[in-house]
Structures are given as C-alpha cells and as structure tokens.
Amino acid sequence: MAFWDIDLETRMGAESAADQGALACFIYTGILVISLAFAGGMILDTLAVNAGAGIVLLIPFAVQMGVVLVAAFRLRAGKGAFWGIGAAVLMGMGVVAQLISLSIGVVLIINAILFVFTIQGIRGAFALRKSHFSEDDIEAFE
C-alpha cells in the first residue's frame, strides 16, 4: 500500500500508518544525531571557551531529539498523536528553515518526505484513537 493511499477505515491501515510515522521519526532522530556529530566540533570549541554558551548550543538538539524520539515510540504503540504533532511541528520548522536559507537539495527532499510520513502517522494514531472499525463488528458475530 502506498503512503499516499492509506485506508484509515481499517485497523490494519491505521496501524500501518502509525508505524510509518514512527519509522519516519526514528529516521529523523538518526539525522539529528548525525547533524549533532557534525556540529560537535563547533560545540566543543565553544565549550572550551565558554561553557555556558556550549550548553545553550546543545539544548535545541536535546529537546528536538527528545520530542521526536518519544513521538517515535508513542506512534509505534499507536497512541502518540500529540507527540507526533510536536515532532511534525519541529520537522516543519526545519523544512521551512531550509527553504528560507535556500539550501534546496537532497536533504530538503528527505526531510519533506519524512514530514509527510509523520503526518500520515498522526492520522493513523487519531484513527486508532477512535477505536471503532468495521471489522470489529464482524468479529463480534462470528
């Protein structure tokens, strides 16, 4: 099933959408870890000069990684709609920042695709939250 044609009327479709959103959040967390590794040299230089400024540079990475990682685990369980919204807002801000800075390339495309997958995961989590699917009625009469 394609990610743009997810059937949220069935439990299996909603669960697969939530799983896709969780996978996107896990991948985005990996991208954040890699970007932290690249920015680590700058942060270590700042820590050597001024420890307070180095900590301030680490806080955005830590908050973003924390929110996206919690959203990934919650979406994997099918319950993380609001954490997923927080992760999608952070991903969207990253995409907008890349567009504003005109850094249009492969990374922007990957981040946009991960953003779309996260939105699908949020939709799947909300569908699972309503918890009434047509196959639930069929199983009751078997």
Side-chain angles (χ1 to χ4, degrees):
M1 174 183 338
F3 74 92
W4 58 82
D5 189 30
I6 292 180
D7 182 21
L8 297 176
E9 298 295 320
T10 64
R11 184 175 303 277
M12 187 176 91
E15 286 174 352
S16 70
D19 287 343
Q20 285 178 358
L23 180 63
C25 287
F26 281 126
I27 292 171
Y28 193 73
T29 303
I31 290 172
L32 288 174
V33 168
I34 291 170
S35 65
L36 178 62
F38 285 134
M42 179 186 67
I43 293 172
L44 288 176
D45 287 343
T46 307
L47 279 172
V49 175
N50 186 357
I55 299 299
V56 170
L57 289 174
L58 286 175
I59 289 174
F61 279 110
V63 169
Q64 194 171 8
M65 280 192 288
V67 169
V68 175
L69 195 60
V70 169
F73 283 116
R74 294 296 293 163
L75 283 173
R76 189 76 174 155
K79 299 178 185 256
F82 295 110
W83 282 101
I85 290 172
V89 165
L90 291 172
M91 287 181 191
M93 287 172 38
V95 168
V96 168
Q98 288 176 347
L99 286 173
I100 289 173
S101 67
L102 296 175
S103 63
I104 299 171
V106 176
V107 176
L108 177 66
I109 294 169
I110 291 171
N111 285 342
I113 290 171
L114 292 176
F115 178 71
V116 170
F117 277 138
T118 304
I119 296 297
Q120 291 291 356
I122 294 167
R123 290 180 61 219
F126 275 124
L128 287 171
R129 189 174 187 180
K130 86 174 178 177
S131 73
H132 181 73
F133 297 100
S134 59
E135 67 260 13
D136 294 339
D137 296 335
I138 294 170
E139 291 175 2
F141 295 109
E142 287 181 355

